Amino acid sequence: ALPNLPALANAPQDEALALWSGLGYYARARNLHAAAKLCVEHHNGDLPRELAALIALPGIGRSTAGAILSQAWDEPAPILDGNVKRVLCRVFGVEGWPGTPAIEKQLWALAESLLPDARQADWTQAQMDFGATLCTRHNPNCTHCPLQTLCVAWRDGRTHELPAPKPSKALPQRDAHMLILDDGQGRVLLQRRPPAGIWAALWSLPEHADGETAQAWFARHIDGDFSAARALPTLLHGFSHYRLRIQPQQIAVNGLRSAVGDNDNLRWIHRADLHTLGLPAPVRKLLEQTQ
């Protein structure tokens, strides 16, 4: 749909988010779109070939930049994705969770010291494939590993201890009260999310603000009878750092009140056209269940 950087840069953000819809991690889609615009503006529509310039693009960190430099242009640049971190921790017996700055600094130094003199692209790909297929997180195939004689984890019988796991903590739970508002013409009301935070810039179902009841929000914005609301089953959705409990209500309404302006980021859309917008996966699921 968007075959090159200029095409992506010139596309509306809604189109990019709609194409990404259902894949999760929507910040990646927003970063891709923003990075494409910067590439067109500052780099003649192509990716820059300098480490600092790559890292300056939204969504590209040091490891991704290293992968681009080594695999696209065969330049010596280390990577440190999850697979590489796991292999280095096991082979060199690195203690501690790799997500901490001190351990990550140690792993970067190791990754840089191991760079070969040639075949940088093959080296980068081999590291990722090695961790993905042999030195796996669970049940690594140590008996067939070519690094067995060098591996501290194998030598000390600590393969399943290294790398150290992330310290666990109970995930908090948050509640969201969403309104599915149908206007009788096959349209449903959507509200654009804020430009930052969870589901940033995506279209979602209207939610009332903190400190305001759903009924009060409804009365300010909607022409209809809130007492006719029908409670739907609760939907649970997990994020990496909390669980979201969505409590949806469906109501047939007459329309928006005349006082509602563009600043409310509200938009009627035909259900048949929902595929043209970026929607969070649980919101899309709710809308599919209530057609």
Side-chain angles (χ1 to χ4, degrees):
L2 302 172
N4 50 49
L5 277 173
L8 175 58
N10 292 325
Q13 187 184 65
D14 276 340
E15 182 179 355
L17 291 173
L19 290 166
W20 193 270
S21 188
L23 295 176
Y25 299 102
Y26 287 94
R28 292 178 178 176
R30 293 191 297 272
N31 287 334
L32 277 170
H33 189 243
K37 286 181 175 293
L38 290 173
C39 285
V40 168
E41 184 178 348
H42 298 294
H43 303 291
N44 297 316
D46 204 351
L47 280 172
R49 295 185 60 162
E50 299 78 33
L51 181 66
L54 281 169
I55 294 175
L57 294 175
I60 296 184
R62 182 179 175 185
S63 186
T64 300
I68 293 170
L69 289 171
S70 60
Q71 293 183 296
W73 299 301
D74 208 38
E75 296 184 10
I79 65 167
L80 200 63
D81 72 348
N83 286 314
V84 176
K85 287 181 179 181
R86 180 168 60 255
V87 172
L88 293 178
C89 284
R90 285 175 176 165
V91 172
F92 293 96
V94 177
E95 304 282 354
W97 178 50
T100 60
I103 302 302
E104 193 167 80
K105 181 179 180 180
Q106 184 179 350
L107 294 175
W108 272 117
L110 283 171
E112 191 145 17
S113 71
L114 295 171
L115 286 174
D117 295 328
R119 298 178 64 188
Q120 304 296 335
D122 289 339
W123 169 250
T124 295
Q125 188 64 47
Q127 289 180 91
M128 293 189 286
D129 289 346
F130 183 79
T133 63
L134 196 72
C135 192
T136 52
R137 181 179 300 178
H138 305 292
N139 302 315
N141 193 356
C142 296
T143 56
H144 290 85
C145 179
L147 301 181
Q148 189 184 103
T149 58
L150 304 174
C151 182
V152 172
W154 169 258
R155 182 196 69 194
D156 296 345
R158 302 186 61 209
T159 303
H160 297 289
E161 297 178 17
L162 295 174
K166 180 179 181 179
S168 61
K169 60 180 180 180
L171 290 178
Q173 181 168 285
R174 301 180 188 174
D175 290 307
H177 300 269
M178 294 187 178
L179 299 176
I180 303 174
L181 305 174
D182 295 291
D183 70 347
Q185 303 176 40
R187 300 189 305 176
V188 65
L189 188 67
L190 298 181
Q191 185 174 39
R192 190 188 283 277
R193 300 279 302 178
I198 295 298
W199 299 333
L202 296 181
W203 289 94
S204 185
L205 291 168
E207 298 178 53
H208 56 88
D210 292 339
E212 181 181 38
T213 66
Q215 186 170 2
W217 184 94
F218 185 93
R220 283 198 302 117
H221 293 84
I222 307 299
D223 177 12
D225 181 9
F226 186 80
S227 65
R230 178 170 64 97
L232 301 176
T234 298
L235 179 65
L236 295 176
H237 183 71
F239 293 99
S240 59
H241 52 295
Y242 72 90
R243 292 193 309 163
L244 183 66
R245 184 171 60 184
I246 300 173
Q247 300 175 351
Q249 293 174 287
Q250 187 172 19
I251 319 172
V253 300
N254 301 319
L256 293 173
R257 294 194 180 279
S258 58
V260 177
D262 293 337
N263 291 335
D264 294 284
N265 289 316
L266 296 170
R267 173 179 175 181
W268 291 106
I269 183 165
H270 285 279
R271 285 178 176 268
D273 296 329
L274 288 171
H275 68 279
T276 64
L277 297 178
L279 300 174
V283 171
R284 187 177 298 277
K285 182 177 180 178
L286 278 174
L287 291 171
E288 289 173 351
Q289 292 174 344
T290 56
Q291 288 186 4

